[in-house]
Amino acid sequence: MALPSAALLPGLLLVADALALVLLVPLVPVLVPLGVVGLWLEAALRLPVLAVATWLLLPRRPSGATAAAVTVAATPAAFGTFRHLLGPPGAGPGLLVTASPTWLGVTHAAVALALLAWAAPPAPGGVPKTSGDVPKAPGTILRVLALTWEERNVLGGAFVCLVLAAIGETLGPYATGKVLDAIRNGDGLTAGAVGMVAAAGAASVLFSGCRGGLFILLKARLHQRLSLRLFSHLVRQDLDFFQRTPAAELSAQFSMEVPRVCMAAPSGANLLFRSLGMALVVGAFMFVLAPGLALLALLELPLGIAIHRIESARKQALQRSMLEASARTASGVQESVAAIETIRIFSAEEEEEKQHSCNLAKELRLKEQMNLELAFFTLVQRVLQLTIRVLVLFRSHQQLRDGYITPGVLVSFLLYQDTVGSHVQVLLYGFNEFLTKAAAGWKIWEYLDREATGDVGGVQKPPELQGHVTFQEVTFTYPGNPEQPVLKDVTFEVRSGEVTALAGSNGSGKSTAVALLERLRDPGSGKVLLDGIPLPEYEHQYLHRKVVLVEQDPILFSGTIRENILLGLEHCKESELQEAATAAGAMEFIQGLERGWDTEVGEHGEHLAAGERRRVALARALLRRPAVLILDEALDDGDEGAAQCWLRTGLAQTVLVVSHRPRVLDAADHLVVLERGAVVETGTPAKLREHCGAYSRLLLGGGRTGGPEASSMGSEKGAASGRE
């Protein structure tokens, strides 16, 4: 909470508490005979007055006001209870209403200091807190717990082993104490006593190992489940998502964030459940052995939590400042190196050295402050542990002298105290680590909550397709630029059994039309029909087996040439594979390779030349015998007759060619010319040449067919795309 609220709230609570005590004076004769119960009744009666008082701070009521009221009400009752249980014999609890006014002032002063200490301190250097992660943390933790619950069988087995290991670890000190008492009484060692100690140790070791192994298995299964779920969800997103999201960011989710999230629950459950279970079981045994000593020893728990909370808040604040200082230093170095010529020209080396020295000094001061505060809080924790241990020893000496406990009970108790202390430390640090790792995955859940905008719910799967494509008044705009449509009322046909070419200058909308036909995007208005059926009505996988695209620079996957051509096909004859490779012009270079079909293409096909990658991609497309084959700048000069050959041999039923090469365009049966997103001409190449319209201007802009300029345009493009 903010400092003004933290300073105003204690004063208001003090006034309200004084008023409540005045009202409770008539009830003193009723509460005093009740002892400890009367103390807590007094606290319960004071609490409503304190709670109502906090609402007077509206609209500036701090978030911790209710907790402050409860703390003020419960502190005197808790002190009186501990004084009654741990104090000298005959020391009874005293009501706050009958105590000296000094006690009221001391109570509220302690609470005020606690509120100020508990409030998160501002970061050194005025670094603001990042509020973005705060609302996400609880939701991400619940999502991690829900994911872990899906592996409840493994988690349940690990939890059973955890309980059995805790029982074995707990019985060890208890059996040791019994053995010591037996020796003291002159009974001597017995096989049963030694066997009990050995059995407890063996059970602890055995079930601890099983517990650890099951939690490792749980981590692996969660990693597999979450990685598969995230990947399956991402590959179904629309293209705009991948264009807006860097690939490095998505890769980092799989390589860094998924392992961290999947480690949170197993490691957290392993540490927290074990430590919490052990602390509860050992604490119960301590209460059974010596209730008074147990209350005194367990005072370390709330005090340790408070110290750890303050230390954690300070550490987070300093870490934010450290990150800012390190970033400032690195930025200064990068800027100086980039502008070294300017620095040299103006002889500014000394100024840059001073600035860098200043940045390093700030970073060093923060590091020193972090180390000093770490040493200070470590010292406070050690002093607290030592103080509690001295008090326990002093009190146990009194009870041992008075005959309330035996030496064996004392040894067992001290062993339990060491055990519960270590588990409390694990709880303090393990819980914070669990929250940090669980909250780190908020981006993963954000991706999983994102719905894909593309509709892939079609069901049409006709046994045969003719490959007749129709664009009906199609208009499309990209989401990032809705004011400028890329296609405007585009209408044309791609007839079955023909080669249709899309022509146009760069930016005319050719690639967008191909994306709509591949259904990588959906039109804003109008329809794209295949054999008279709108594309969204076709089943997703069926459509992409029947409409196949080959690009100028196609993507190949790591593996062999054979595996890339067979991609996605389960059954294929060797004769069909060779026929497709021969038709694509890939057979000659494949046979010339040392390993032939089993040649590794490398990542993205980097072991092959651009032209060879294109031949492999053509073979991959022809092997599927598509209803519609789309060639986006995938044909070179000299390949213009290939498309007609594929139609005659039945390797494709319809071919749509996108090209800038005049020879390829002239070989088409039908031409569709686009300009600025609109269809301006359609017809045969010869007819459009005679018309002397947009197609003729396009050829003149890039060179005449067969002329020097056209030849140069084609050869340069081919050299750029097919260079070895």
Side-chain angles (χ1 to χ4, degrees), residues 216-260:
I216 293 175
L217 176 62
L218 176 63
K219 175 187 172 184
R221 292 175 69 96
L222 289 178
H223 187 279
Q224 179 190 24
R225 183 182 292 271
L226 184 58
S227 296
L228 179 59
R229 185 174 300 176
L230 179 61
F231 182 82
S232 299
H233 196 75
L234 288 178
V235 295
R236 286 171 172 77
Q237 297 297 317
D238 53 273
L239 292 182
D240 292 331
F241 168 78
F242 293 100
Q243 292 176 351
R244 293 192 306 266
T245 308
E249 178 180 322
L250 297 178
S251 178
Q253 299 302 316
F254 288 95
S255 61
M256 298 175 60
E257 300 306 323
V258 168
R260 288 183 66 187

Tab-separated table of all heavy atoms in Angstrom, residues 216-260:
chain	number	residue	atom	x	y	z
A	216	ILE	N	9.618	-36.851	-11.699
A	216	ILE	CA	10.356	-36.680	-12.955
A	216	ILE	C	9.510	-37.156	-14.134
A	216	ILE	O	9.450	-36.505	-15.192
A	216	ILE	CB	11.694	-37.439	-12.890
A	216	ILE	CG1	12.627	-36.788	-11.863
A	216	ILE	CG2	12.360	-37.473	-14.260
A	216	ILE	CD1	13.917	-37.551	-11.648
A	217	LEU	N	8.834	-38.289	-13.966
A	217	LEU	CA	7.931	-38.782	-15.006
A	217	LEU	C	6.786	-37.799	-15.244
A	217	LEU	O	6.390	-37.550	-16.394
A	217	LEU	CB	7.379	-40.151	-14.596
A	217	LEU	CG	6.325	-40.771	-15.531
A	217	LEU	CD1	6.912	-41.016	-16.916
A	217	LEU	CD2	5.782	-42.065	-14.940
A	218	LEU	N	6.260	-37.221	-14.177
A	218	LEU	CA	5.187	-36.244	-14.307
A	218	LEU	C	5.646	-35.034	-15.114
A	218	LEU	O	4.921	-34.536	-15.990
A	218	LEU	CB	4.721	-35.805	-12.913
A	218	LEU	CG	3.661	-34.704	-12.860
A	218	LEU	CD1	2.365	-35.165	-13.516
A	218	LEU	CD2	3.405	-34.281	-11.419
A	219	LYS	N	6.855	-34.566	-14.845
A	219	LYS	CA	7.389	-33.424	-15.599
A	219	LYS	C	7.488	-33.746	-17.084
A	219	LYS	O	7.113	-32.930	-17.939
A	219	LYS	CB	8.753	-33.043	-15.036
A	219	LYS	CG	9.459	-31.954	-15.826
A	219	LYS	CD	10.862	-31.748	-15.315
A	219	LYS	CE	11.638	-30.806	-16.230
A	219	LYS	NZ	13.046	-30.649	-15.804
A	220	ALA	N	8.003	-34.934	-17.421
A	220	ALA	CA	8.144	-35.323	-18.834
A	220	ALA	C	6.788	-35.425	-19.521
A	220	ALA	O	6.612	-34.975	-20.662
A	220	ALA	CB	8.895	-36.646	-18.931
A	221	ARG	N	5.801	-35.991	-18.851
A	221	ARG	CA	4.474	-36.143	-19.459
A	221	ARG	C	3.798	-34.784	-19.629
A	221	ARG	O	3.114	-34.539	-20.634
A	221	ARG	CB	3.620	-37.069	-18.600
A	221	ARG	CG	4.101	-38.518	-18.605
A	221	ARG	CD	3.293	-39.374	-17.652
A	221	ARG	NE	1.935	-39.549	-18.121
A	221	ARG	CZ	1.504	-40.587	-18.818
A	221	ARG	NH1	2.353	-41.548	-19.135
A	221	ARG	NH2	0.252	-40.680	-19.191
A	222	LEU	N	3.975	-33.896	-18.673
A	222	LEU	CA	3.399	-32.556	-18.807
A	222	LEU	C	4.057	-31.800	-19.962
A	222	LEU	O	3.379	-31.077	-20.705
A	222	LEU	CB	3.580	-31.779	-17.505
A	222	LEU	CG	2.743	-32.228	-16.311
A	222	LEU	CD1	3.068	-31.382	-15.090
A	222	LEU	CD2	1.258	-32.151	-16.620
A	223	HIS	N	5.377	-31.952	-20.113
A	223	HIS	CA	6.077	-31.287	-21.213
A	223	HIS	C	5.550	-31.786	-22.562
A	223	HIS	O	5.304	-30.990	-23.479
A	223	HIS	CB	7.577	-31.560	-21.088
A	223	HIS	CG	8.413	-30.797	-22.072
A	223	HIS	ND1	8.581	-31.201	-23.377
A	223	HIS	CD2	9.101	-29.639	-21.948
A	223	HIS	CE1	9.343	-30.340	-24.013
A	223	HIS	NE2	9.681	-29.384	-23.173
A	224	GLN	N	5.379	-33.081	-22.687
A	224	GLN	CA	4.846	-33.630	-23.938
A	224	GLN	C	3.430	-33.137	-24.187
A	224	GLN	O	3.082	-32.725	-25.306
A	224	GLN	CB	4.866	-35.152	-23.875
A	224	GLN	CG	4.307	-35.812	-25.136
A	224	GLN	CD	4.101	-37.304	-24.953
A	224	GLN	OE1	3.950	-37.778	-23.834
A	224	GLN	NE2	4.076	-38.052	-26.036
A	225	ARG	N	2.595	-33.135	-23.165
A	225	ARG	CA	1.198	-32.744	-23.333
A	225	ARG	C	1.071	-31.269	-23.705
A	225	ARG	O	0.348	-30.900	-24.638
A	225	ARG	CB	0.429	-33.027	-22.034
A	225	ARG	CG	-1.055	-32.732	-22.111
A	225	ARG	CD	-1.714	-33.001	-20.757
A	225	ARG	NE	-1.713	-34.416	-20.437
A	225	ARG	CZ	-2.686	-35.250	-20.789
A	225	ARG	NH1	-3.721	-34.809	-21.491
A	225	ARG	NH2	-2.632	-36.520	-20.445
A	226	LEU	N	1.787	-30.400	-22.985
A	226	LEU	CA	1.665	-28.969	-23.235
A	226	LEU	C	2.291	-28.587	-24.574
A	226	LEU	O	1.741	-27.748	-25.299
A	226	LEU	CB	2.314	-28.187	-22.093
A	226	LEU	CG	2.174	-26.659	-22.169
A	226	LEU	CD1	0.702	-26.258	-22.222
A	226	LEU	CD2	2.858	-25.996	-20.986
A	227	SER	N	3.435	-29.179	-24.921
A	227	SER	CA	4.072	-28.876	-26.208
A	227	SER	C	3.165	-29.271	-27.369
A	227	SER	O	3.000	-28.513	-28.335
A	227	SER	CB	5.415	-29.604	-26.323
A	227	SER	OG	6.320	-29.150	-25.360
A	228	LEU	N	2.575	-30.457	-27.290
A	228	LEU	CA	1.679	-30.910	-28.358
A	228	LEU	C	0.449	-30.024	-28.449
A	228	LEU	O	0.006	-29.667	-29.547
A	228	LEU	CB	1.283	-32.365	-28.113
A	228	LEU	CG	0.330	-32.983	-29.143
A	228	LEU	CD1	0.946	-32.948	-30.531
A	228	LEU	CD2	-0.031	-34.413	-28.748
A	229	ARG	N	-0.109	-29.665	-27.306
A	229	ARG	CA	-1.306	-28.817	-27.305
A	229	ARG	C	-1.006	-27.451	-27.892
A	229	ARG	O	-1.793	-26.910	-28.692
A	229	ARG	CB	-1.822	-28.688	-25.871
A	229	ARG	CG	-3.136	-27.939	-25.751
A	229	ARG	CD	-3.647	-27.974	-24.322
A	229	ARG	NE	-3.873	-29.345	-23.879
A	229	ARG	CZ	-4.238	-29.661	-22.645
A	229	ARG	NH1	-4.409	-28.713	-21.735
A	229	ARG	NH2	-4.423	-30.929	-22.311
A	230	LEU	N	0.133	-26.862	-27.527
A	230	LEU	CA	0.491	-25.540	-28.043
A	230	LEU	C	0.773	-25.605	-29.536
A	230	LEU	O	0.305	-24.752	-30.304
A	230	LEU	CB	1.702	-25.011	-27.278
A	230	LEU	CG	2.229	-23.644	-27.704
A	230	LEU	CD1	1.159	-22.571	-27.513
A	230	LEU	CD2	3.495	-23.277	-26.925
A	231	PHE	N	1.531	-26.623	-29.981
A	231	PHE	CA	1.854	-26.732	-31.402
A	231	PHE	C	0.589	-26.955	-32.229
A	231	PHE	O	0.402	-26.329	-33.283
A	231	PHE	CB	2.841	-27.875	-31.620
A	231	PHE	CG	3.263	-28.034	-33.051
A	231	PHE	CD1	4.264	-27.237	-33.581
A	231	PHE	CD2	2.653	-28.970	-33.874
A	231	PHE	CE1	4.652	-27.383	-34.909
A	231	PHE	CE2	3.030	-29.115	-35.193
A	231	PHE	CZ	4.035	-28.317	-35.713
A	232	SER	N	-0.284	-27.847	-31.759
A	232	SER	CA	-1.518	-28.130	-32.500
A	232	SER	C	-2.395	-26.894	-32.601
A	232	SER	O	-3.076	-26.694	-33.614
A	232	SER	CB	-2.289	-29.255	-31.797
A	232	SER	OG	-1.525	-30.434	-31.750
A	233	HIS	N	-2.374	-26.056	-31.586
A	233	HIS	CA	-3.194	-24.847	-31.615
A	233	HIS	C	-2.572	-23.786	-32.521
A	233	HIS	O	-3.286	-23.078	-33.241
A	233	HIS	CB	-3.332	-24.297	-30.191
A	233	HIS	CG	-4.431	-23.294	-30.040
A	233	HIS	ND1	-5.769	-23.635	-29.994
A	233	HIS	CD2	-4.399	-21.948	-29.959
A	233	HIS	CE1	-6.498	-22.553	-29.866
A	233	HIS	NE2	-5.692	-21.505	-29.841
A	234	LEU	N	-1.233	-23.686	-32.504
A	234	LEU	CA	-0.581	-22.651	-33.303
A	234	LEU	C	-0.695	-22.929	-34.800
A	234	LEU	O	-0.896	-22.003	-35.591
A	234	LEU	CB	0.889	-22.532	-32.904
A	234	LEU	CG	1.176	-21.899	-31.542
A	234	LEU	CD1	2.669	-21.889	-31.267
A	234	LEU	CD2	0.621	-20.485	-31.468
A	235	VAL	N	-0.541	-24.191	-35.214
A	235	VAL	CA	-0.569	-24.481	-36.653
A	235	VAL	C	-1.950	-24.255	-37.255
A	235	VAL	O	-2.082	-24.216	-38.481
A	235	VAL	CB	-0.116	-25.924	-36.937
A	235	VAL	CG1	1.329	-26.110	-36.543
A	235	VAL	CG2	-1.004	-26.945	-36.245
A	236	ARG	N	-2.968	-24.076	-36.434
A	236	ARG	CA	-4.313	-23.820	-36.937
A	236	ARG	C	-4.669	-22.330	-36.912
A	236	ARG	O	-5.808	-21.965	-37.179
A	236	ARG	CB	-5.341	-24.610	-36.112
A	236	ARG	CG	-5.320	-26.095	-36.427
A	236	ARG	CD	-6.167	-26.902	-35.470
A	236	ARG	NE	-6.307	-28.284	-35.882
A	236	ARG	CZ	-5.376	-29.216	-35.751
A	236	ARG	NH1	-4.225	-28.901	-35.177
A	236	ARG	NH2	-5.568	-30.450	-36.175
A	237	GLN	N	-3.700	-21.483	-36.570
A	237	GLN	CA	-3.953	-20.056	-36.564
A	237	GLN	C	-3.928	-19.505	-37.991
A	237	GLN	O	-3.351	-20.111	-38.906
A	237	GLN	CB	-2.915	-19.325	-35.710
A	237	GLN	CG	-2.937	-19.716	-34.241
A	237	GLN	CD	-4.243	-19.357	-33.561
A	237	GLN	OE1	-4.787	-18.277	-33.769
A	237	GLN	NE2	-4.771	-20.274	-32.779
A	238	ASP	N	-4.524	-18.348	-38.184
A	238	ASP	CA	-4.543	-17.722	-39.490
A	238	ASP	C	-3.184	-17.105	-39.800
A	238	ASP	O	-2.332	-16.937	-38.919
A	238	ASP	CB	-5.628	-16.646	-39.534
A	238	ASP	CG	-5.486	-15.671	-38.386
A	238	ASP	OD1	-6.034	-15.955	-37.293
A	238	ASP	OD2	-4.811	-14.652	-38.550
A	239	LEU	N	-2.965	-16.765	-41.071
A	239	LEU	CA	-1.660	-16.252	-41.492
A	239	LEU	C	-1.334	-14.912	-40.861
A	239	LEU	O	-0.160	-14.607	-40.623
A	239	LEU	CB	-1.638	-16.115	-43.022
A	239	LEU	CG	-1.675	-17.430	-43.809
A	239	LEU	CD1	-1.592	-17.133	-45.290
A	239	LEU	CD2	-0.533	-18.337	-43.389
A	240	ASP	N	-2.341	-14.087	-40.577
A	240	ASP	CA	-2.067	-12.785	-39.971
A	240	ASP	C	-1.370	-12.944	-38.629
A	240	ASP	O	-0.517	-12.135	-38.253
A	240	ASP	CB	-3.376	-12.006	-39.781
A	240	ASP	CG	-3.987	-11.604	-41.105
A	240	ASP	OD1	-3.214	-11.412	-42.061
A	240	ASP	OD2	-5.222	-11.500	-41.190
A	241	PHE	N	-1.718	-13.984	-37.890
A	241	PHE	CA	-1.083	-14.223	-36.596
A	241	PHE	C	0.418	-14.446	-36.768
A	241	PHE	O	1.233	-13.879	-36.041
A	241	PHE	CB	-1.727	-15.434	-35.931
A	241	PHE	CG	-0.971	-15.948	-34.731
A	241	PHE	CD1	-1.066	-15.310	-33.506
A	241	PHE	CD2	-0.157	-17.067	-34.839
A	241	PHE	CE1	-0.362	-15.779	-32.415
A	241	PHE	CE2	0.541	-17.547	-33.751
A	241	PHE	CZ	0.436	-16.894	-32.535
A	242	PHE	N	0.806	-15.262	-37.749
A	242	PHE	CA	2.223	-15.555	-37.943
A	242	PHE	C	2.971	-14.362	-38.520
A	242	PHE	O	4.171	-14.214	-38.290
A	242	PHE	CB	2.378	-16.766	-38.859
A	242	PHE	CG	1.892	-18.045	-38.243
A	242	PHE	CD1	0.644	-18.556	-38.558
A	242	PHE	CD2	2.658	-18.712	-37.315
A	242	PHE	CE1	0.194	-19.729	-37.984
A	242	PHE	CE2	2.210	-19.885	-36.732
A	242	PHE	CZ	0.968	-20.392	-37.065
A	243	GLN	N	2.278	-13.512	-39.261
A	243	GLN	CA	2.935	-12.321	-39.782
A	243	GLN	C	3.162	-11.286	-38.687
A	243	GLN	O	4.120	-10.515	-38.744
A	243	GLN	CB	2.108	-11.729	-40.923
A	243	GLN	CG	2.089	-12.608	-42.165
A	243	GLN	CD	1.179	-12.061	-43.246
A	243	GLN	OE1	0.431	-11.107	-43.025
A	243	GLN	NE2	1.233	-12.670	-44.425
A	244	ARG	N	2.290	-11.268	-37.677
A	244	ARG	CA	2.453	-10.308	-36.575
A	244	ARG	C	3.386	-10.830	-35.492
A	244	ARG	O	3.958	-10.039	-34.745
A	244	ARG	CB	1.095	-9.996	-35.931
A	244	ARG	CG	0.133	-9.244	-36.822
A	244	ARG	CD	-1.039	-8.731	-35.997
A	244	ARG	NE	-1.688	-9.798	-35.259
A	244	ARG	CZ	-2.748	-10.471	-35.692
A	244	ARG	NH1	-3.256	-10.180	-36.878
A	244	ARG	NH2	-3.303	-11.428	-34.967
A	245	THR	N	3.528	-12.146	-35.377
A	245	THR	CA	4.302	-12.731	-34.286
A	245	THR	C	5.639	-13.216	-34.812
A	245	THR	O	5.679	-14.044	-35.725
A	245	THR	CB	3.542	-13.916	-33.662
A	245	THR	OG1	2.211	-13.495	-33.328
A	245	THR	CG2	4.245	-14.401	-32.414
A	246	PRO	N	6.757	-12.731	-34.253
A	246	PRO	CA	8.073	-13.203	-34.715
A	246	PRO	C	8.250	-14.698	-34.464
A	246	PRO	O	7.810	-15.231	-33.446
A	246	PRO	CB	9.065	-12.374	-33.871
A	246	PRO	CG	8.278	-11.208	-33.372
A	246	PRO	CD	6.863	-11.685	-33.227
A	247	ALA	N	8.898	-15.358	-35.397
A	247	ALA	CA	9.139	-16.803	-35.244
A	247	ALA	C	10.010	-17.091	-34.027
A	247	ALA	O	9.844	-18.117	-33.355
A	247	ALA	CB	9.801	-17.353	-36.513
A	248	ALA	N	10.945	-16.165	-33.708
A	248	ALA	CA	11.805	-16.373	-32.541
A	248	ALA	C	10.996	-16.389	-31.253
A	248	ALA	O	11.311	-17.131	-30.313
A	248	ALA	CB	12.870	-15.280	-32.480
A	249	GLU	N	9.948	-15.582	-31.202
A	249	GLU	CA	9.112	-15.555	-30.002
A	249	GLU	C	8.366	-16.877	-29.828
A	249	GLU	O	8.282	-17.418	-28.710
A	249	GLU	CB	8.115	-14.403	-30.097
A	249	GLU	CG	7.162	-14.321	-28.909
A	249	GLU	CD	6.187	-13.164	-29.029
A	249	GLU	OE1	6.609	-12.095	-29.520
A	249	GLU	OE2	5.018	-13.325	-28.657
A	250	LEU	N	7.846	-17.423	-30.913
A	250	LEU	CA	7.150	-18.709	-30.827
A	250	LEU	C	8.125	-19.829	-30.483
A	250	LEU	O	7.808	-20.723	-29.680
A	250	LEU	CB	6.453	-19.012	-32.153
A	250	LEU	CG	5.354	-18.026	-32.572
A	250	LEU	CD1	4.783	-18.428	-33.931
A	250	LEU	CD2	4.259	-17.980	-31.537
A	251	SER	N	9.315	-19.771	-31.064
A	251	SER	CA	10.312	-20.799	-30.753
A	251	SER	C	10.719	-20.736	-29.290
A	251	SER	O	10.944	-21.772	-28.654
A	251	SER	CB	11.536	-20.618	-31.654
A	251	SER	OG	12.530	-21.559	-31.345
A	252	ALA	N	10.797	-19.530	-28.736
A	252	ALA	CA	11.190	-19.388	-27.326
A	252	ALA	C	10.156	-20.000	-26.397
A	252	ALA	O	10.493	-20.488	-25.314
A	252	ALA	CB	11.390	-17.908	-26.994
A	253	GLN	N	8.889	-19.982	-26.802
A	253	GLN	CA	7.864	-20.590	-25.957
A	253	GLN	C	8.109	-22.085	-25.793
A	253	GLN	O	7.944	-22.639	-24.707
A	253	GLN	CB	6.465	-20.349	-26.561
A	253	GLN	CG	6.083	-18.886	-26.701
A	253	GLN	CD	6.111	-18.147	-25.379
A	253	GLN	OE1	5.625	-18.643	-24.366
A	253	GLN	NE2	6.686	-16.957	-25.386
A	254	PHE	N	8.531	-22.741	-26.885
A	254	PHE	CA	8.769	-24.182	-26.817
A	254	PHE	C	10.089	-24.502	-26.118
A	254	PHE	O	10.178	-25.483	-25.382
A	254	PHE	CB	8.780	-24.785	-28.228
A	254	PHE	CG	7.427	-24.843	-28.869
A	254	PHE	CD1	6.988	-23.840	-29.716
A	254	PHE	CD2	6.575	-25.900	-28.621
A	254	PHE	CE1	5.744	-23.885	-30.300
A	254	PHE	CE2	5.320	-25.966	-29.209
A	254	PHE	CZ	4.899	-24.948	-30.038
A	255	SER	N	11.113	-23.696	-26.358
A	255	SER	CA	12.442	-24.029	-25.828
A	255	SER	C	12.638	-23.570	-24.391
A	255	SER	O	13.426	-24.176	-23.655
A	255	SER	CB	13.522	-23.404	-26.716
A	255	SER	OG	13.405	-21.988	-26.732
A	256	MET	N	11.925	-22.513	-23.961
A	256	MET	CA	12.175	-21.950	-22.629
A	256	MET	C	10.947	-21.982	-21.733
A	256	MET	O	10.996	-22.492	-20.602
A	256	MET	CB	12.677	-20.507	-22.781
A	256	MET	CG	13.992	-20.386	-23.537
A	256	MET	SD	14.475	-18.658	-23.818
A	256	MET	CE	14.609	-18.074	-22.132
A	257	GLU	N	9.834	-21.429	-22.214
A	257	GLU	CA	8.688	-21.242	-21.328
A	257	GLU	C	7.962	-22.551	-21.022
A	257	GLU	O	7.535	-22.773	-19.894
A	257	GLU	CB	7.714	-20.224	-21.935
A	257	GLU	CG	8.323	-18.850	-22.162
A	257	GLU	CD	8.945	-18.283	-20.904
A	257	GLU	OE1	8.390	-18.505	-19.804
A	257	GLU	OE2	9.995	-17.638	-20.998
A	258	VAL	N	7.792	-23.413	-22.030
A	258	VAL	CA	7.118	-24.693	-21.776
A	258	VAL	C	7.867	-25.521	-20.731
A	258	VAL	O	7.252	-26.033	-19.784
A	258	VAL	CB	6.922	-25.480	-23.090
A	258	VAL	CG1	6.495	-26.913	-22.804
A	258	VAL	CG2	5.871	-24.794	-23.959
A	259	PRO	N	9.206	-25.675	-20.838
A	259	PRO	CA	9.901	-26.413	-19.770
A	259	PRO	C	9.757	-25.769	-18.400
A	259	PRO	O	9.629	-26.478	-17.390
A	259	PRO	CB	11.366	-26.406	-20.242
A	259	PRO	CG	11.286	-26.252	-21.718
A	259	PRO	CD	10.106	-25.374	-21.962
A	260	ARG	N	9.767	-24.437	-18.347
A	260	ARG	CA	9.636	-23.774	-17.038
A	260	ARG	C	8.263	-24.030	-16.429
A	260	ARG	O	8.140	-24.322	-15.236
A	260	ARG	CB	9.867	-22.270	-17.189
A	260	ARG	CG	11.289	-21.876	-17.461
A	260	ARG	CD	11.439	-20.375	-17.524
A	260	ARG	NE	11.175	-19.769	-16.227
A	260	ARG	CZ	11.097	-18.458	-16.036
A	260	ARG	NH1	11.241	-17.629	-17.047
A	260	ARG	NH2	10.874	-17.971	-14.845
